[in-house]
Every structure is written in structure tokens, then in C-alpha cells.
Amino acid sequence: AVYVFGGDERGLMYGILDLRDQLEWTQSLSQVEAKKESPRFHFRAIKFNLPWSSYRQGESLQLHIETVKDTAFWVDFLDMMADNRFNALTLWNLHPFTFMIQPKAFPEATQFTGQEFENWRKFWKTLFRMAKDRGIDTYILNWNIIVSPQMTEAYNVANYKDDLEWHYGFTPADTSQVIVDYMRECITQVINEYPNLTGVGVSIGESMKLPSDDALLLSKKTYL
């Protein structure tokens, strides 16, 4: 008999995968090697740049929008991650929130309605559940104070698209109170509506040409 033990569900899954790998080589349970393993690095992540609301524009990114929206793609991708013992998937784009929620306090910022929004909601819930089933933590990461195009238009804030320096990350940051309130609303709602999402992160490397240290502090307080 062969026994597989794990310190948790993820460890048990890795043990079963190792047993599978050995059987592919030996073709015999009698030749399975007894072993005990633990990870050298506890956080083993893949950084995945999403093609929508992407930090760069061009065919190389936009070409794959429909592919990445297809959960069949993620079945193969997440299986690959589990096979290679990756345990965290970080998903990056400028502003993921309005692809995931309809901000209750800022309905003007909504990008999608009706069935189109329900399709997005189903996509995210399916992705996070499939990742969790494979022992993979999920994180979404946005670019600091970037907002949805609808939010920019409705409140005349964070309008970087006409600034040539935007492409190099040197534009002055808009840290107005409405953006602080909006970001807090989005983050809170995403956390409440997606229980299988592990966490939310932020990149503060774009649009942070600030006039003073006080403004930088204000920007960081957006997430406190």
C-alpha cells in the first residue's frame, strides 16, 4: 500500500501529484520512492498581466482578450501551475474593480450593465473557485489611483490619457478625496462579493509625480 500525508490540503495535493509523477516513470507501486518534502519558498507566484485595462496598448496584449476571458484557458493554466507547484496567481491591470463590481456609491463609474456584467461576475467567481480548488491563492493588483473611464468622465478626475508623460509614469497623481472614497468603496465591495479571492494589492509605480511628500502620504492613505 502507498500512503500520502500532507500538512494541509495543498500539501496533500502535492503529495498526490508527486505520486502520479513517480508512477508515470516507474509504472509500478512497488517502485514508488518514500520521501518527505517541504517547500523552500512558501510564496511561489506567477505575475499575469491581464489584457483588459492593460498598462500598455498594442496587439500583443489586446489580441488575447477573448482567450483570457475563456475559463477553458484557465483550466489548463491553473493545472500547469499546480503541476509546477505554483501556489499564487497575481492578476495585474490598471483598474480591475469595475470589471468585477458595480460600485454602489459611485454608479456613474460602472463600465458594464445587464448580462455583460453578469458574464464578468461569473468569470471572476469561476476563476477564483478553480484556483482555490487547486491550492492556488489569487490576488488582484491595480495601478494606484487609476480609475475607470466612466469615473474620469463623471467627476473630471484622474484624466491621464492626454498626458504624454503618462506613458512613462511621470504624470502628477490625482489624490482628490473623491478618488480616496471611490477606491475604498471598490476595494470593500470586491472583498465582500468575492470570498474566494485571497487578497488585493497595489502598484504605486505609475502616475506618482507628486509635488510633496505630503501628497505621497495622502496617496498611500487611499488604501488604509
Side-chain angles (χ1 to χ4, degrees):
V2 175
Y3 297 92
V4 179
F5 301 93
D8 54 21
E9 292 182 354
R10 180 184 289 161
L12 184 61
M13 180 189 72
Y14 290 158
I16 294 172
L17 289 175
D18 186 87
L19 175 60
R20 178 207 63 186
D21 293 341
Q22 290 197 54
L23 288 174
E24 287 181 352
W25 283 98
T26 66
Q27 302 293 312
S28 172
L29 283 174
S30 63
Q31 297 183 48
V32 169
E33 175 188 353
K35 61 169 63 176
K36 181 179 181 180
E37 294 185 343
S38 58
R40 181 178 179 183
F41 300 104
H42 291 282
F43 186 75
R44 304 178 300 280
I46 285 181
K47 178 180 185 288
F48 195 106
N49 288 331
L50 294 168
W52 50 85
S53 190
S54 57
Y55 78 109
R56 292 287 187 270
Q57 297 294 315
E59 184 180 5
S60 61
L61 284 172
Q62 277 61 57
L63 179 67
H64 301 292
I65 288 179
E66 293 305 317
T67 299
V68 178
K69 286 171 62 178
D70 187 347
T71 52
F73 162 81
W74 288 105
V75 169
D76 291 339
F77 192 89
L78 295 170
D79 284 348
M80 176 278 297
M81 288 185 64
D83 283 339
N84 290 279
R85 312 311 191 256
F86 287 104
N87 65 359
L89 174 64
T90 64
L91 301 161
W92 298 64
N93 69 357
L94 295 180
H95 189 73
F97 303 115
T98 47
F99 290 83
M100 304 176 73
I101 57 142
Q102 295 178 320
K104 296 176 182 177
F106 296 89
E108 304 90 341
T110 296
Q111 291 198 72
F112 307 102
T113 58
Q115 188 59 49
E116 187 175 17
F117 175 71
E118 291 304 319
N119 290 341
W120 277 109
R121 188 203 299 271
K122 181 179 180 181
F123 164 78
W124 293 111
K125 285 185 175 291
T126 301
L127 173 58
F128 298 149
R129 176 184 52 77
M130 291 194 304
K132 188 174 183 179
D133 288 345
R134 291 163 174 79
I136 298 170
D137 295 334
T138 47
Y139 301 86
I140 58 168
L141 292 98
N142 71 315
W143 267 255
N144 55 72
I145 42 84
I146 307 299
V147 302
S148 73
Q150 289 74 15
M151 180 71 179
T152 293
E153 183 176 353
Y155 289 89
N156 193 28
V157 293
N159 188 6
Y160 307 118
K161 65 180 181 179
D162 296 327
D163 194 323
L164 292 178
E165 287 191 317
W166 154 247
H167 298 286
Y168 303 98
F170 298 139
T171 56
D174 188 336
T175 56
S176 53
Q177 187 60 44
V178 67
I179 291 183
V180 173
D181 295 340
Y182 169 71
M183 287 296 186
R184 285 175 173 161
E185 168 79 15
C186 287
I187 293 169
T188 300
Q189 210 171 317
V190 163
I191 291 172
N192 289 337
E193 294 187 18
Y194 292 93
N196 286 330
L197 173 66
T198 307
V200 179
V202 58
S203 169
I204 57 172
E206 305 287 341
S207 286
M208 299 303 286
K209 182 181 180 182
L210 301 166
S212 69
D213 290 340
D214 290 341
L216 177 59
L217 180 61
L218 174 62
S219 175
K220 290 181 178 179
K221 284 182 177 178
T222 301
Y223 298 94
L224 302 180

